[in-house]
Amino acid sequence: MSVRIDIAGLRPERVAIVPSPMAELGMALHALSEPGHHPGLQGWATAVAAGLDPSLADRMTDAEFLWRSTFSDLFMPFAGVPGGRSVPGATLAEELDLLDRLSDEQFVDTALEFTCALPYSTAGASALADARTRRRALYLAAARGPRQLDFTERLLGDPPRIRGWLRRFAEDCDAAFFAATWDRLRHRLAADARHKTDLLRRKGLAEALTAVSPVVTLDAAAERITVDKLGDGRTATGDGGLLLVPTSLGRPHLTVLHRYGWQPVLHYPVASPELSSPPSVEQLLLRMTALSHPVRLRLCRHLARSAYSTGELAQAHGMTAPEVSRHLGVLKRAGLIITRRRGRYVLHQLDVTVVARLGGDLLEGVLR
């Protein structure tokens, strides 16, 4: 499972690493709507929510589905501008101007992504132009509740009106809380972008991508980027470029914009020195499988308290040494136990740090 970006023929100067105020606003709205995804932002989210004007708080629910589960590609309009070579604006106002450059079809179909599950990685008929797609969009919106249905009807009936609503909403969020948040975050994001741009120029794209995240890799031919995610997707840079956009509010989300006809974007969380590298999806699956067996769970209970040899574990659990060895092998391959030699004995002990992180790692893998 992964998202792949074909970059064959991509020239180095077509790779840009640039912060985006509008993408960060999208992430801010997401974190306010889903604080459980971002426990590290709890204090910030509580303070912002407490200071919101009630009318703005109410408006946040009008189209909350655009940013609740993740956030809509409308918050990265630079990727949809024809030509595939636009970059984020320096200010929110500049990026709102880029949003105005999207066609009505682009705007509507992107806004309907979470409401109506329209095609994403492939070409599809627009809900504005195709009656069947329009009926399906309204049917799916109705199934999701009256708020989604009302939004979809207004969107399909008068796209410019919804464009104006979204612009005013973003501007009001900026005045209420985001301008102060962006002013605090933009320097760190700019520094991260400069660092990775320097890596890109001095050591190449592979090094820059590794610095973005260890789950982002470049193949030996430098023609395909693979992002390890619990999901599948594919896109290509074609005649356009590749954008890497850092976020301070985004961890653990590593988002790949791979919408059909849009410029590919890697929206990545800037590194936190106190956090170790995330495990691969394969490693997560190995750990969950290893811990799904009741015998291995009982062994882990022993190994969490002290280090034991295979013989000691066999005696304690009424098993043969080969049986214990097989279970220990599974735990070791999953990276859950540490082994060391003491004289002629090999001792095994649970890596409590890894197990303690497993809950967070699983969430990170699902949300990545």
Side-chain angles (χ1 to χ4, degrees):
M1 292 179 286
S2 61
V3 177
R4 297 168 298 283
I5 305 173
D6 292 328
I7 62 167
L10 178 68
R11 297 204 299 269
E13 62 269 21
R14 297 272 178 86
V15 181
I17 308 170
V18 188
S20 162
M22 192 158 180
E24 201 72 345
L25 172 60
M27 188 55 71
L29 291 168
H30 167 65
L32 289 170
S33 298
E34 282 287 5
H37 286 195
H38 305 271
L41 299 177
Q42 224 166 38
W44 171 85
T46 300
V48 169
L52 282 180
D53 179 89
S55 63
L56 181 58
D58 288 342
R59 287 162 62 199
M60 279 189 178
T61 65
D62 287 346
E64 191 180 43
F65 40 84
L66 290 179
W67 50 77
R68 187 173 187 91
S69 59
T70 173
F71 69 91
S72 170
D73 293 343
L74 289 176
F75 289 93
M76 293 193 275
F78 44 84
V81 173
R85 299 183 189 178
S86 293
V87 297
T91 66
L92 183 63
E94 288 180 19
E95 295 205 282
L96 288 171
D97 290 342
L98 289 175
L99 184 65
D100 290 339
R101 292 177 60 185
L102 300 183
S103 68
D104 281 349
E105 287 78 10
Q106 283 180 297
F107 182 87
V108 168
D109 292 346
T110 304
L112 290 176
E113 175 189 347
F114 301 125
T115 305
C116 305
L118 296 176
Y120 186 82
S121 295
T122 57
S126 170
L128 279 184
D130 183 76
R132 181 178 179 182
T133 303
R134 184 187 186 94
R135 287 194 300 270
R136 179 172 179 268
L138 290 168
Y139 172 78
L140 291 173
R144 296 189 177 210
R147 194 180 298 277
Q148 281 90 332
L149 178 60
D150 176 66
F151 177 86
T152 303
E153 288 175 337
R154 289 187 290 121
L155 176 68
L156 292 171
D158 192 355
R161 180 185 173 192
I162 299 300
R163 283 179 182 266
W165 176 90
L166 183 59
R167 184 177 191 114
R168 288 190 300 274
F169 174 72
E171 290 169 344
D172 289 346
C173 286
D174 191 47
F177 68 90
F178 183 68
T181 299
W182 178 249
D183 190 56
R184 176 172 57 86
L185 300 177
R186 62 189 178 89
H187 303 291
R188 183 185 181 203
L189 295 177
D192 183 86
R194 285 194 300 271
H195 169 65
K196 290 183 174 56
T197 299
D198 183 56
L199 277 178
L200 176 66
R201 290 171 178 167
R202 290 189 300 107
K203 298 188 176 181
L205 182 58
E207 288 286 338
L209 293 174
T210 299
V212 163
S213 171
V215 304
V216 183
T217 56
L218 181 66
D219 70 349
E223 293 185 344
R224 177 182 294 175
I225 296 169
T226 300
V227 185
D228 184 36
K229 290 175 68 71
L230 286 172
D232 291 298
R234 185 164 188 158
T235 187
T237 52
D239 294 329
L242 172 69
L243 289 172
L244 279 61
V245 177
T247 169
S248 281
L249 301 177
R251 188 178 177 89
H253 302 291
L254 174 62
T255 305
V256 186
L257 191 162
H258 54 99
R259 177 178 293 278
Y260 179 82
W262 286 44
Q263 188 175 6
V265 179
L266 275 172
H267 188 234
Y268 66 92
V270 295
S272 298
E274 70 277 8
L275 295 171
S276 61
S277 299
S280 66
V281 171
E282 181 182 6
Q283 191 74 358
L284 281 175
L285 293 174
L286 279 173
R287 291 176 184 176
M288 298 302 291
T289 301
L291 292 174
S292 67
H293 198 289
V295 171
R296 289 195 282 273
L297 279 178
R298 290 198 297 271
L299 289 172
C300 286
R301 187 172 184 273
H302 249 82
L303 296 170
R305 287 158 175 75
S306 186
Y308 292 92
S309 68
T310 302
E312 289 171 327
L313 290 169
Q315 184 175 7
H317 291 270
M319 301 167 62
T320 66
E323 286 176 320
V324 171
S325 290
R326 284 195 295 272
H327 286 298
L328 290 175
V330 174
L331 293 170
K332 187 172 182 179
R333 285 192 295 276
L336 294 168
I337 62 173
I338 302 167
T339 61
R340 67 178 188 272
R341 181 170 292 278
R342 189 181 65 191
R344 62 190 183 91
Y345 296 101
V346 175
L347 300 181
H348 313 277
Q349 190 164 13
L350 190 69
D351 191 334
V352 178
T353 302
V354 171
V355 178
R357 287 197 66 219
L358 188 55
D361 286 345
L362 179 59
L363 179 63
E364 186 164 319
V366 171
L367 295 177
R368 185 183 300 148

